[in-house]
Amino acid sequence: MLRLWFSYLQLVELFVSSLVHLLYGFYIFSSAVAGDLSMVLNEYFQKPNMNVVEEKEKLILDEKLHDNDLPPIVLVHGIFGFGKGRLGGLSYFAGAEKKDERVLVPDLGSLTSIYDRARELFYYLKGGQVDYGEEHSKECGHSQFGRIYEQGHYPEWDEDHPIHFVGHSAGAQVVRVLQQMLADKAFKGYENTSENWVLSITSLSGAFNGTTRTYIDGMQPEDGKTLKPICLLQLCRIGVILYDWLDIAWLKNYYNFGFDHFNMSWRKMGIWGLVDCLLGNAGPFASEDWILPDLTIQGSIKINYNLHTFPNTYYFSYATKQTRKIMGVTAPSSILGIHPLLFIRVLQMSQWTHPSDVSPPYKGYR
């Protein structure tokens, strides 16, 4: 009886969590649409001569910016994030890219693996067609080639023109993996790459050692790779598969999970392909080539094993904390600093402990 009651509570919690995340997603999406509509209306009613003045001012500003030979700053978003051009006028980095043309915000796969995102970031900057590598692509069951960048956003990038990188959450790990790829000369046709192409890496709440939130949402703490049968991430998995399979062009232009190289569109895989993906026999969730396994503690240990720090690169890491002890119980520091829709999940995160019946991910873990 107690077990049934516990299962019932778990289902209720899952329902509430999924509803909260859907509402929050709708809130973000509707905010973007509202912002776009507002911008269109403003442009429509604005006087034409004002536009001419603004364009002239912008050209003067651009000329001044080009005169300064300063390296660009590339801001790399985290999980479920987006770059410039997605979600209309919304900005993941609070409008930083609008302050200076040297601030670049690439749009990487919001749920693709750390490896795939690092490859995408390279070609976003240098230009050309994203090459995920023949061996990796065969192993993970997706196309070797992805998006085409007709013009790189910083094609002159090399050892003499290095870049500052700023990564938020999973974005920080993406940059570190990219630097290691540059050191290993992992990009075909670019044999002159080196770790010195990266001037600095700044981490904002970087998930370098993984995050326990992955287990709260449904990753198995036993292996850090597979999903629990019933969990929030299972619902997310189904939603993402259907989203990509329906392949609604205007919707995907607005927001894209980044799995186009898996060819999950109904045009390419049909009904039976969809069934195969939903059953877990194909797609990114079957091959574990997506970001959640990388963000578990076990996945991060595997990534970090192959990473090095380099003497000519400056590394900065801004760690953040917003919990405190209240009568021996860990709780969020401030209710006011948390979006109301996310408060339950934040409370769960601050209370989570590693299951006592599961071996810790490494010796000395606490």
Side-chain angles (χ1 to χ4, degrees), residues 200-230:
S200 73
I201 296 176
T202 301
S203 160
L204 307 176
S205 301
F208 292 123
N209 295 314
T211 166
T212 55
R213 171 155 185 191
T214 56
Y215 308 118
I216 297 170
D217 288 342
M219 297 302 295
Q220 295 276 19
E222 289 86 350
D223 59 12
K225 295 189 294 184
T226 55
L227 288 174
K228 295 173 184 175
I230 300 173

Side-chain angles (χ1 to χ4, degrees), residues 129-204:
Q129 186 170 23
V130 176
D131 183 352
Y132 294 104
E134 185 178 2
E135 186 179 341
H136 170 82
S137 302
K138 283 181 179 177
E139 184 183 334
C140 297
H142 60 67
S143 299
Q144 181 179 344
F145 301 100
R147 190 189 308 185
I148 298 172
Y149 293 99
E150 299 290 348
Q151 176 66 37
H153 289 75
Y154 193 59
E156 60 266 44
W157 184 31
D158 59 20
E159 193 165 319
D160 296 321
H161 302 86
I163 290 177
H164 294 291
F165 286 94
V166 178
H168 170 244
S169 189
Q173 192 72 309
V174 169
V175 178
R176 288 211 62 202
V177 170
L178 172 61
Q179 186 181 31
Q180 189 63 54
M181 288 179 176
L182 294 171
D184 296 339
K185 306 186 187 308
F187 297 96
K188 192 174 181 181
Y190 295 92
E191 283 73 27
N192 65 329
T193 62
S194 80
E195 63 276 10
N196 295 326
W197 285 30
V198 179
L199 191 57
S200 73
I201 296 176
T202 301
S203 160
L204 307 176

Side-chain angles (χ1 to χ4, degrees), residues 5-19:
W5 179 244
F6 185 68
S7 299
Y8 172 74
L9 285 176
Q10 284 182 313
L11 288 173
V12 170
E13 189 277 329
L14 177 61
F15 173 77
V16 172
S17 291
S18 56
L19 184 64

Side-chain angles (χ1 to χ4, degrees), residues 43-61:
E43 287 176 357
Y44 180 79
F45 290 110
Q46 203 172 36
K47 292 180 181 179
N49 62 333
M50 289 295 289
N51 287 334
V52 173
V53 171
E54 285 180 3
E55 284 299 319
K56 285 182 178 178
E57 288 177 351
K58 185 178 183 299
L59 285 171
I60 293 168
L61 179 62

Side-chain angles (χ1 to χ4, degrees), residues 31 41 61 66 106 149 200 221 284 287 294 310 332 342:
S31 297
L41 290 172
L61 179 62
H66 280 297
Y149 293 99
S200 73
S287 62
D294 290 341
F310 300 98
L342 298 180

Side-chain angles (χ1 to χ4, degrees), residues 225-296:
K225 295 189 294 184
T226 55
L227 288 174
K228 295 173 184 175
I230 300 173
C231 63
L232 186 64
L233 286 177
Q234 285 286 8
L235 296 177
C236 174
R237 179 184 74 89
I238 293 168
V240 170
I241 290 170
L242 292 173
Y243 188 92
D244 266 41
W245 187 81
L246 289 171
D247 196 19
I248 303 169
W250 70 268
L251 200 57
K252 289 188 75 175
N253 283 333
Y254 220 65
Y255 187 82
N256 196 334
F257 292 105
F259 291 127
D260 292 342
H261 53 303
F262 277 91
N263 302 312
M264 292 195 290
S265 167
W266 62 272
R267 296 177 179 86
K268 295 180 179 178
M269 66 162 46
I271 291 288
W272 291 116
L274 171 64
V275 172
D276 226 21
C277 281
L278 290 173
L279 290 176
N281 300 323
F285 306 102
S287 62
E288 297 166 5
D289 190 33
W290 64 302
I291 201 164
L292 261 298
D294 290 341
L295 292 180
T296 61

